[in-house]
Amino acid sequence: MFIIEKSFLSPRLSLLRPAPHPHPLWSRNRILKEAFRRNFPVKWAHSTSTMADTAKDDTGSLKEQLAKVFEVSLKVTVPDEPEVVPLIAPCSRKEAGDYQCNNAMSLWSKIKGKGTDYKGPQPVGQAIMRNLPASDMIESCSIAGPGFINVKLSTQWIAKSIQKMLIDGIDTWAPKLPVKRAVVDFSSPNIAKEMHVGHLRSTIIGDTLARMLEYSKVDVLRRNHVGDWGTQFGMLIEFLFEKFPDGKVNDQDIGELEVFYKASKQRFDGDAAFKERAQQAVVSLQGGEEKYRKAWAQICEISRKGFEKVYQRLGVHLEEKGESFYNPYIPGTLDLLRQKGLIEESEGAQVIFIEGKKIPLIVVKRDGGFNYASTDLAALWYRLNEEKAEWIIYVTDVGQREHFEMFFTAAKRAGWLPTDENKHPKTSHVGFGLVLGDDGKRFRTRSTEVVKLVDLLDEAKSRCKAALVERGKAAEWTPEELEQTAEAVGYGAVKYADLKNNRLTNYTFNFDQMLNDKGNTAVYLLYAHARICSIIRKSGKDIEELKRVGQIKLEKDEERKLGLHLLQFPEVVEEACTNLLPNVLCEYLYDLSEKFTSFYSECQVVGSAEETSRLLLCEATAVVMRKCFHLLGITPVYKI
């Protein structure tokens, strides 16, 4: 059976409050290596204390630690070239080594003609290799091509690093990012409308980005920028007054808010007198009249309860700061932009012209009303100045790309953001593609309606539960266990099917594929994790005791491959955060399960002479898999 990790069973509910390009490597040159070791025995032992301290620094990802070692050598090799950044990358040909340093060619292009004694990039590479300080992490180095330095890591160091993580905890592997506080703006449904499948991607992708940043010790402000302000509320409020003149109304009276919205829109479009009253209602609402504010708040609260059903199923936490929150800041924000001469009159509207764009960014409409651009600019000002965010991330569909490009450009012209993309504070638009049906068109119901997100999630759970019952689990488990497992696997399958794709592409929503227990699916990965836990249980050993007294030894090739992959987890998370691509983490997780399968096929665990070491390797794999699941918002299972 499945056992669910307890910490995931009661997810935090939504708090919706108004408030160098690598060169092809040559084969390893053993003669060069041996000659190097004979002729330059001092390469591993510099006397400078700073060099020794740097070499012993065991913090940061594997790539970062290697970079620190090579940084010492680069300062010695080319002392007149300051701030040379070590170019470290995994070896493209695994037989050549584990990592490579690719600085030699770019350095040669800088120093040639400056009176250097080096005769080409390969001698530069040899000097970098010769000047490396002593380091426990490096077993050997070799030169390939025009100065590429291949590095083979110490197998003993890999084993010790994994064992240290098991004792100290995987949070010690968290990458270090150059920001302390970030805003992730995601989900953002509209009040009075159902959350549909289009909101799935923003909610899932945004939650995973927030989780990865939080793991990386960034203070993340999870913002739900709901559409809770605007002219449509005059229409809704007036229709509410018409249906319930005494003002006494509850959720059941209104029924489905989406139906209520459509009925009010139909009335607005077909009745001139109603339309006039609705427009006046907007004025009354914006003027703060209590009757209208109360009706508006009631409509918003009903919507929040609907959103909450989705967020609770997904285990997503958000804090609402919608359009209404930023509305009071708009006039002051626009005044700041006017003072800088950015806002101009154009055809009765107030706009900001953006170089290279055919149309300007409208910030005040002809009728004097505000719009998305004015709200977004006010929100950005607030996030930079009041919330002190250093990185502001917007998760929306790719169709809004041009809006964000223009909006970001306006902020740079205002001096709010640096023009250098590598400096902070900065903004990023995380675009994503469409969710398609099997017909290749936008995913809809048979009645051509967009699929409600809560119905879609319930269907995933229902299908998973039916499959478990068919396997006889209803007789083995309690009803609670059956429900929890169906939720864990069903919701996890929906999330992973989305996240494993490059977010910029469209993807086809298919229940049969995402609930398949073979291939790159959440079901397969959850089962793989459960099998690892089963191996540990069947050994009868106390894994916590083994962590204290046991020792990991990576003697076979499959053991070392698995160990190295485990150690690369921090740099994968860093890459996924830096590039805002959750699929990078999904690829790593799937590769991890495949490498474990290869290891388990080649290496007997229980009952072998190496049982203790291999059980610890199993535990390390399970620990990393669980952290991957957590970052993806997926609940792990422990038994099948």
Side-chain angles (χ1 to χ4, degrees):
M1 68 176 186
F2 297 82
I3 300 296
I4 310 298
E5 183 175 27
K6 296 300 181 185
S7 62
F8 282 83
L9 293 182
S10 300
R12 289 182 296 171
L13 304 183
S14 160
L15 299 179
L16 290 173
R17 302 187 296 269
H21 180 66
H23 190 280
L25 300 179
W26 295 358
S27 300
R28 182 175 299 162
N29 190 326
R30 294 185 178 277
I31 297 175
L32 176 61
K33 281 205 303 183
E34 292 304 317
F36 175 80
R37 286 172 177 166
R38 287 195 302 271
N39 295 331
F40 307 108
V42 297
K43 72 166 188 172
W44 302 112
H46 288 283
S47 59
T48 307
S49 60
T50 303
M51 293 180 176
D53 292 341
T54 302
K56 291 177 182 178
D57 187 351
D58 61 354
T59 60
S61 69
L62 196 162
K63 275 177 69 174
E64 286 176 325
Q65 291 184 59
L66 265 181
K68 290 171 187 174
V69 175
F70 274 90
E71 185 177 18
V72 172
S73 176
L74 288 165
K75 287 178 179 178
V76 174
T77 305
V78 282
D80 297 329
E81 295 293 330
E83 299 182 3
V84 177
V85 178
L87 303 177
I88 308 297
C91 277
S92 53
R93 291 176 55 224
K94 298 306 178 186
E95 64 271 20
D98 301 314
Y99 283 81
Q100 60 190 53
C101 176
N102 300 319
N103 285 89
M105 286 188 70
S106 59
L107 272 179
W108 169 244
S109 67
K110 285 184 177 182
I111 63 177
K112 64 181 179 181
K114 294 183 178 180
T116 178
D117 292 333
Y118 298 117
K119 304 301 181 184
Q122 190 174 79
V124 174
Q126 290 172 340
I128 295 171
M129 190 165 66
R130 180 166 65 248
N131 291 323
L132 283 169
S135 173
D136 292 339
M137 71 186 302
I138 298 177
E139 180 177 302
S140 62
C141 294
S142 61
I143 290 289
F148 296 105
I149 304 170
N150 296 325
V151 178
K152 183 177 181 181
L153 299 173
S154 162
T155 301
Q156 185 179 14
W157 180 84
I158 295 173
K160 286 183 177 179
S161 298
I162 296 170
Q163 193 149 359
K164 189 174 188 298
M165 180 275 290
L166 284 175
I167 295 169
D168 297 341
I170 195 167
D171 285 351
T172 59
W173 277 8
K176 298 176 182 177
L177 300 181
V179 293
K180 293 181 179 179
R181 175 173 289 180
V183 168
V184 182
D185 181 329
F186 67 106
S187 192
S188 307
N190 288 316
I191 294 292
K193 290 187 177 181
E194 290 271 4
M195 287 183 73
H196 55 74
V197 71
H199 294 107
L200 177 69
R201 301 208 75 182
S202 178
T203 305
I204 290 174
I205 293 169
D207 181 55
T208 291
L209 293 176
R211 286 170 180 264
M212 291 193 298
L213 290 167
E214 287 161 349
Y215 174 62
S216 305
K217 305 298 188 292
V218 176
D219 178 20
V220 178
L221 306 181
R222 293 160 164 259
R223 293 292 178 253
N224 200 4
H225 191 109
V226 298
D228 67 348
W229 202 247
T231 55
Q232 76 272 23
F233 280 95
M235 170 184 84
L236 288 164
I237 290 169
E238 195 58 36
F239 194 65
L240 185 72
F241 289 161
E242 195 173 87
K243 290 290 183 182
F244 309 99
D246 60 358
K248 294 179 180 179
V249 58
N250 57 41
D251 301 5
Q252 289 72 32
D253 291 332
I254 289 182
E256 288 196 23
L257 208 51
E258 184 99 13
V259 175
F260 187 84
Y261 181 92
K262 289 178 180 178
S264 65
K265 182 69 166 68
Q266 187 176 9
R267 192 74 199 285
F268 184 86
D269 292 338
D271 187 328
F274 178 87
K275 183 176 183 178
E276 185 176 343
R277 292 198 305 274
Q279 290 171 338
Q280 183 57 44
V282 174
V283 176
S284 299
L285 172 64
Q286 293 178 345
E289 287 189 35
E290 183 179 354
K291 176 183 175 182
Y292 291 87
R293 296 285 292 191
K294 184 177 179 181
W296 167 78
Q298 190 169 26
I299 292 169
C300 290
E301 187 57 32
I302 294 170
S303 276
R304 290 189 188 105
K305 290 177 181 177
F307 301 159
E308 183 75 14
K309 293 177 182 177
V310 173
Y311 297 138
Q312 185 172 4
R313 284 163 172 76
L314 293 174
V316 171
H317 162 71
L318 282 156
E319 182 177 0
E320 181 183 314
K321 274 190 168 65
E323 293 173 355
S324 63
F325 178 87
Y326 301 108
N327 194 64
Y329 295 93
I330 293 176
T333 301
L334 297 183
D335 283 344
L336 290 174
L337 296 172
R338 289 190 188 96
Q339 291 168 18
K340 293 180 179 291
L342 295 184
I343 297 179
E344 304 177 41
E345 294 283 339
S346 177
E347 299 181 12
Q350 295 181 40
V351 305
I352 299 175
F353 287 99
I354 306 296
E355 186 177 353
K357 299 295 182 181
K358 294 181 180 179
I359 57 173
L361 185 70
I362 299 173
V363 294
V364 181
K365 297 183 292 184
R366 292 178 184 175
D367 62 5
F370 302 134
N371 60 2
Y372 289 125
S374 46
T375 303
D376 281 341
L377 285 163
L380 178 59
W381 180 91
Y382 182 88
R383 289 162 175 177
L384 291 171
N385 293 280
E386 298 295 328
E387 296 180 323
K388 307 298 182 184
E390 297 167 275
W391 194 5
I392 303 161
I393 300 163
Y394 301 82
V395 187
T396 75
D397 64 90
V398 292
Q400 298 186 47
R401 179 175 55 196
E402 185 172 51
H403 165 74
F404 282 102
E405 287 177 355
M406 295 172 72
F407 156 46
F408 295 164
T409 301
K412 289 173 183 175
R413 286 186 59 197
W416 297 356
L417 300 171
T419 54
D420 186 343
E421 297 290 343
N422 296 316
K423 292 184 178 180
H424 296 90
K426 70 174 183 177
T427 54
S428 299
H429 175 227
V430 177
F432 54 82
L434 298 173
V435 181
L436 307 177
D438 290 328
D439 58 359
K441 299 178 181 179
R442 190 188 293 266
F443 191 47
R444 297 179 184 273
T445 63
R446 291 181 180 177
S447 61
T448 73
E449 293 288 331
V450 176
V451 180
K452 295 176 183 176
L453 190 46
V454 71
D455 292 342
L456 182 146
L457 294 170
D458 288 347
E459 175 71 9
K461 174 186 172 181
S462 177
R463 288 183 179 227
C464 188
K465 184 176 179 180
L468 292 169
V469 170
E470 187 177 339
R471 291 172 51 196
K473 299 304 176 185
E476 299 176 23
W477 299 348
T478 65
E480 184 182 17
E481 288 175 324
L482 193 64
E483 286 292 310
Q484 291 172 353
T485 302
E487 287 180 2
V489 180
Y491 299 160
V494 172
K495 288 186 176 185
Y496 190 82
D498 187 311
L499 295 169
K500 74 176 182 180
N501 299 286
N502 185 308
R503 57 176 168 76
L504 293 170
T505 62
N506 300 335
Y507 88 96
T508 301
F509 191 97
N510 184 292
F511 277 121
D512 292 335
Q513 290 179 5
M514 65 178 60
L515 293 172
N516 196 331
D517 62 1
K518 296 179 177 62
N520 189 9
T521 67
V523 182
Y524 168 78
L525 294 167
L526 288 167
Y527 284 13
H529 173 261
R531 281 192 290 271
I532 296 172
C533 296
S534 177
I535 293 167
I536 296 171
R537 282 194 305 272
K538 287 179 180 178
S539 73
K541 299 295 175 64
D542 182 346
I543 198 69
E544 296 303 318
E545 178 65 18
L546 293 186
K547 290 179 187 179
R548 288 191 293 270
V549 302
Q551 185 177 358
I552 296 177
K553 296 180 180 179
L554 308 175
E555 296 176 345
K556 286 200 170 184
D557 189 45
E558 298 301 328
E559 292 175 303
R560 189 183 188 280
K561 287 179 181 177
L562 177 59
L564 177 59
H565 193 72
L566 288 170
L567 215 55
Q568 291 170 333
F569 172 70
E571 63 199 59
V572 169
V573 176
E574 183 176 4
E575 179 187 350
C577 283
T578 302
N579 297 320
L580 302 169
L581 291 172
N583 63 294
V584 170
L585 182 62
C586 294
E587 290 167 10
Y588 171 86
L589 176 58
Y590 181 67
D591 287 345
L592 177 58
S593 70
E594 294 291 274
K595 282 181 168 56
F596 180 84
T597 299
S598 298
F599 152 74
Y600 192 63
S601 299
E602 295 294 323
C603 305
Q604 179 185 345
V605 177
V606 179
S608 68
E610 301 84 1
E611 182 182 75
T612 295
S613 170
R614 290 174 180 173
L615 282 173
L616 289 172
L617 199 53
C618 288
E619 174 68 6
T621 303
V623 167
V624 173
M625 288 188 79
R626 284 196 288 274
K627 181 54 70 173
C628 288
F629 288 141
H630 170 75
L631 298 179
L632 298 171
I634 296 172
T635 303
V637 296
Y638 287 76
K639 288 185 179 181
I640 34 180

